[in-house]
Amino acid sequence: MGSSVETLEFQAETRQLLRLVIHSIYSNKDIFLRELISNASDALDRLRLESLTDSSLAGTGTTDPHIALEADKDARTLTVRDNGIGMTRDDLVELIGTIAKSGTAGLLEKIRDSKDAAGAESLIGQFGVGFYSAFMVADKVTLCTRRAGTDSGTRWESDGEGTYDLQAVDGLPVGTSVTLHLKPADGEDGLADYLSESKIRQIVKRYSDFIRWPIRMAAEHTGAEGGTAGDVDTLNSMKALWARPRTEVTEDEYNEFYRQISHDWPAPAGTIHMRAEGTFEYEALLFIPAQAPFDLFSRESRRGVQLYVKRVFIMDDCEALMPNYLRFVKGVVDAHDLSLNVSREILQHDRQIRGVRRRLVKKVLGAIKDMQSKDAERYAKVWAQFGRALKEGLVEDTDNTEALLELVSAASTHDPEKTTTLREYVERMKDGQDAVYYLTGESRAMVENSPHMEAFAAKGYEVLILSDPVDEVWVDRVPAFDGHRLQSIAKGRIDLDASAGDDQESGAEKARREEDFAALLTWLGTTLSEQVREVRLSSRLTTSAACVVGDAHDVTPTLEKMYRAMGQQLPTVKRILEINPAHPLVTALRTAHDANADDPALAEIAELVYGSALLAEGGDLPDPARFTRLLTDRLTRAL
């Protein structure tokens, strides 16, 4: 038996607000079922908690807490039922009727003033938008509920237009049922057939698979004689590994879950299982893959981890939780204090989300660091797969520069087969050496054969060989490691004798040599003035005649090529030509110049010396045809 029906009228502005909720907030109408199941799950959670302190609630649905879905194709209704805490009439007015009772012009004005969907969404999220999403798919919604510990229930019904009805009803079970009188399926309007068992299963699997309570539905299975038998199936797995203590999860379970979310067959190289409590609670289960995806460096590649709110799926690829250079990390973050209708735009500006991101980044970098110290072989494989991406962090993430530098592993002249970390390099530095020496280039072979290497190889100095494109960028952004500056051996003046405390060559000898070559250096500087800004004697060459070097802040030839390939033209920067005073070609050139400075052949030889130096470092000749002609002529004369 029930009492008389009480009909309440929406205020005019509230009707407009409800239309905005139905038509503007959710682009995917499937979300309605996620919202209703989430509400049911919250009701079950509340009953469980309250029954712990109120013994009178024991047995009122707590023996078999669950959520039931009932599809009636004849009546075209879909019902979401739970045996949770339920609501009183006052609860209905306060919670479900929030929009009905708070339809103030001020709220609507704020929403209208929001210039984008994210702004509107953030406002509406405070006013029970989840329940009202049901009107996206239903012409009418009927809600019946009875609060645990009470004798009478309440029936709420509305068509989402002008009015809603309230009625006291006797005999209702504890809990809440929401019945949707569904609109006809309409593909053009995004309305699926929400009475289809396969569609319901699909939505539950995508959005509510990890809800802690069983979600049940009577399923139709074909019987032995062609009929159908109604079995009750549980649609969700309820296996939210991230919500379980790590000690209770097996390695096989982690691996299987990783395959499920990443679609990657090999087991992950690392697993990070964490829980944060306090003002913003969340759980995270992250994985470091064993191999890089094929699109790791594609602009179209998707990145980010999956975001859940209280086990309810919100979005794939949540970029706000993971920086671009960790785009290979897979996993789940389950936040307890976010709204279900949170958007990507809101997440990008949320202070708490930024805090979560910082902690996740530190956990991932810490896990790789642990791998480096405890399992060098596994770390080496991870670095080989993801090192290029991690080095992007040295450009993007200044807050974690030190942690990333500890992870950097590079080829080196110390070992032709193995890479070395910066820490290992520093531990091997010579006495008196204050810089970490490196050289960038397009390949290891090109770097190893560069004239810049000659003096370092002769004196036994280790040089890092950096051949990844990103190396050209990050070394200019990072001034030092562990107090030792990073020094390109192709830039600036290099004095290895001073670094090693070698006083074999006195200042007087250097001064005499400079005087001997002063006329040649001046002449070369004038002759090659279009190509170089200075010509000087070199202390870095032992076997080559010349090399081209830059000042400390000059762009390298490889980086210049990269910019040009991207369509960016850099201003022309003249570099420095260094010549080897001990090389027979240079000494012969000096002798010839002293004998006849006006010989036109000398200028051609100067061009050949400069062009050879440019080619040796991987640079591009300004006029290849002219260089080839001059070289051919000189060879012909030599024969």
Side-chain angles (χ1 to χ4, degrees):
M1 298 293 293
S3 64
S4 59
V5 176
E6 181 183 6
T7 301
L8 303 179
E9 185 175 346
F10 288 124
Q11 297 178 9
E13 62 270 18
T14 305
R15 290 199 297 271
Q16 298 175 43
L17 178 59
L18 187 53
R19 290 193 190 99
L20 183 61
V21 171
I22 297 170
H23 300 296
S24 300
I25 298 306
Y26 295 114
S27 57
N28 182 2
K29 291 181 170 57
D30 293 356
I31 296 294
F32 83 93
L33 190 53
R34 180 196 78 177
E35 300 284 352
L36 296 180
I37 290 175
S38 176
N39 289 344
S41 176
D42 288 343
L44 290 166
D45 287 337
R46 286 189 59 194
L47 179 58
R48 180 181 65 85
L49 290 173
E50 293 192 21
S51 64
L52 295 176
T53 56
D54 187 348
S55 58
S56 67
L57 299 180
T60 56
T62 57
T63 56
D64 183 25
H66 67 277
I67 301 166
L69 306 181
E70 301 169 6
D72 187 333
K73 294 185 177 181
D74 293 332
R76 285 202 56 77
T77 61
L78 176 66
T79 300
V80 179
R81 189 186 309 277
D82 68 75
N83 55 352
I85 192 65
M87 290 175 281
T88 64
R89 182 189 183 284
D90 291 342
D91 290 335
L92 272 174
V93 173
E94 181 64 28
L95 300 173
I96 301 300
T98 300
I99 293 182
K101 69 186 282 267
S102 62
T104 64
L107 172 65
L108 187 58
E109 184 178 352
K110 287 181 180 180
I111 296 175
R112 284 172 175 166
D113 289 343
S114 296
K115 301 301 183 183
D116 53 23
E121 190 170 334
S122 65
L123 288 167
I124 295 174
Q126 307 170 36
F127 294 88
V129 65
F131 171 76
Y132 282 93
S133 66
F135 287 104
M136 294 189 300
V137 300
D139 291 318
K140 183 172 66 174
V141 177
T142 303
L143 183 150
C144 295
T145 184
R146 175 185 157 205
R147 180 68 154 80
T150 66
D151 297 325
S152 179
T154 307
R155 182 176 182 271
W156 182 101
E157 187 172 270
S158 175
D159 59 7
E161 292 294 335
T163 62
Y164 60 96
D165 298 336
L166 287 174
Q167 181 183 19
V169 179
D170 296 329
L172 291 178
V174 170
T176 301
S177 67
V178 180
T179 300
L180 284 65
H181 302 264
L182 295 171
K183 300 175 182 178
D186 185 348
E188 292 185 1
D189 194 33
L191 282 168
D193 180 6
Y194 294 114
L195 295 173
S196 164
E197 179 181 332
S198 61
K199 182 62 177 178
I200 294 172
R201 288 177 179 271
Q202 174 193 344
I203 296 174
V204 172
K205 185 69 176 177
R206 175 168 176 77
Y207 294 106
S208 307
D209 192 46
F210 301 117
I211 292 288
R212 76 170 71 226
W213 310 110
I215 303 171
R216 299 170 182 166
M217 183 175 69
E220 294 185 354
H221 301 292
T222 302
E225 299 180 359
T228 59
D231 294 334
V232 176
D233 288 350
T234 298
L235 307 186
N236 59 324
S237 69
M238 298 175 285
K239 294 181 179 179
L241 295 189
W242 62 83
R244 292 162 54 186
R246 179 156 195 161
T247 55
E248 297 179 6
V249 184
T250 67
E251 199 68 25
D252 288 341
E253 286 179 308
Y254 280 133
N255 293 343
E256 181 59 33
F257 182 71
Y258 168 73
R259 295 187 185 105
Q260 177 184 339
I261 64 172
S262 68
H263 310 292
D264 184 27
W265 180 252
T271 301
I272 302 166
H273 193 163
M274 58 184 289
R275 178 184 180 89
E277 297 179 343
T279 55
F280 190 81
E281 295 187 8
Y282 64 92
E283 295 141 342
L285 180 54
L286 306 178
F287 299 96
I288 301 170
Q291 62 184 23
F294 70 93
D295 61 348
L296 180 62
F297 296 100
S298 169
R299 290 184 180 181
E300 289 74 30
S301 64
R302 302 173 68 182
R303 66 181 180 87
V305 296
Q306 294 182 354
L307 175 63
Y308 283 71
V309 173
K310 297 180 182 177
R311 303 196 188 185
V312 177
F313 175 76
I314 302 301
M315 66 179 71
D316 274 315
D317 312 312
C318 182
E319 297 179 1
L321 287 169
M322 200 63 63
N324 184 58
Y325 71 91
L326 293 180
R327 57 188 174 275
F328 55 87
V329 174
K330 304 297 180 183
V332 168
V333 174
D334 188 353
H336 295 195
D337 304 305
L338 288 176
S339 167
L340 290 184
N341 63 316
V342 69
S343 70
R344 293 183 186 274
E345 291 80 4
I346 293 173
L347 288 172
Q348 289 172 355
H349 300 94
D350 188 277
R351 179 180 57 82
Q352 291 176 317
I353 288 295
R354 290 198 297 269
V356 173
R357 172 180 166 133
R358 284 193 295 269
R359 186 170 182 190
L360 294 180
V361 169
K362 290 187 181 299
K363 281 287 185 179
V364 172
L365 298 182
I368 300 176
K369 179 62 180 174
D370 287 344
M371 206 182 296
Q372 184 188 65
S373 59
K374 298 176 182 177
D375 192 340
E377 183 177 351
R378 188 154 55 107
Y379 158 76
K381 292 179 180 178
V382 167
W383 182 261
Q385 294 292 318
F386 305 110
R388 280 180 61 189
L390 283 165
K391 285 186 285 189
E392 293 173 13
L394 293 167
V395 181
E396 302 170 1
D397 187 0
T398 56
D399 292 339
N400 290 293
T401 296
E402 293 301 321
L404 285 163
L405 285 175
E406 290 286 355
L407 300 180
V408 169
S409 184
S412 146
T413 56
H414 175 72
D415 191 317
E417 302 295 333
K418 296 181 181 179
T419 59
T420 183
T421 65
L422 294 178
R423 178 66 58 193
E424 291 168 338
Y425 179 101
V426 168
E427 291 172 354
R428 291 192 296 265
M429 285 172 55
K430 286 178 171 289
D431 292 340
Q433 180 182 347
D434 64 348
V436 175
Y437 295 120
Y438 71 87
L439 183 60
T440 61
E442 295 182 1
S443 67
R444 174 167 189 147
M446 180 177 289
V447 172
E448 285 181 324
N449 294 319
S450 170
H452 299 103
M453 282 282 196
E454 294 173 0
F456 291 85
K459 295 181 179 292
Y461 281 88
E462 181 178 355
V463 179
L464 297 178
I465 300 171
L466 305 179
S467 55
D468 281 342
V470 69
D471 292 332
E472 298 284 351
V473 183
W474 74 261
V475 289
D476 286 333
R477 304 287 182 90
V478 178
F481 170 74
D482 194 26
H484 302 279
R485 61 190 172 86
L486 272 62
Q487 171 68 53
S488 169
I489 65 172
K491 292 184 178 181
R493 290 185 179 272
I494 299 292
D495 191 349
L496 296 182
D497 292 336
S499 298
D502 190 350
D503 295 326
Q504 294 179 359
E505 187 175 39
S506 67
E509 290 175 332
K510 289 183 179 181
R512 179 183 55 78
R513 190 175 61 189
E514 290 285 348
E515 183 179 352
D516 291 343
F517 282 86
L520 178 64
L521 294 176
T522 301
W523 174 79
L524 283 172
T526 303
T527 303
L528 299 174
S529 60
E530 294 295 322
Q531 290 84 26
V532 301
R533 70 167 175 266
E534 181 186 352
V535 181
R536 67 191 183 201
L537 296 181
S538 178
S539 60
R540 73 184 87 211
L541 296 175
T542 59
T543 59
S544 296
C547 67
V548 181
V549 302
D551 274 343
H553 301 292
D554 283 353
V555 175
T556 65
T558 303
L559 187 56
E560 188 176 354
K561 287 181 182 178
M562 290 170 53
Y563 279 122
R564 285 205 303 268
M566 294 186 292
Q568 300 183 36
Q569 296 299 323
L570 298 179
T572 302
V573 177
K574 293 182 180 180
R575 301 172 71 206
I576 301 166
L577 178 66
E578 288 191 354
I579 59 174
N580 180 1
H583 194 278
L585 175 59
V586 175
T587 56
L589 183 59
R590 186 192 72 172
T591 301
H593 177 266
D594 290 343
N596 184 7
D598 296 327
D599 186 352
L602 296 182
E604 295 180 355
I605 294 175
E607 283 191 59
L608 290 174
V609 170
Y610 169 71
S612 299
L614 201 60
L615 288 173
E617 68 159 12
D620 293 329
L621 293 170
D623 189 347
R626 175 175 172 79
F627 179 85
T628 303
R629 185 174 65 253
L630 292 176
L631 180 60
T632 303
D633 290 345
R634 299 308 302 177
L635 292 174
T636 302
R637 293 175 191 175
L639 295 174

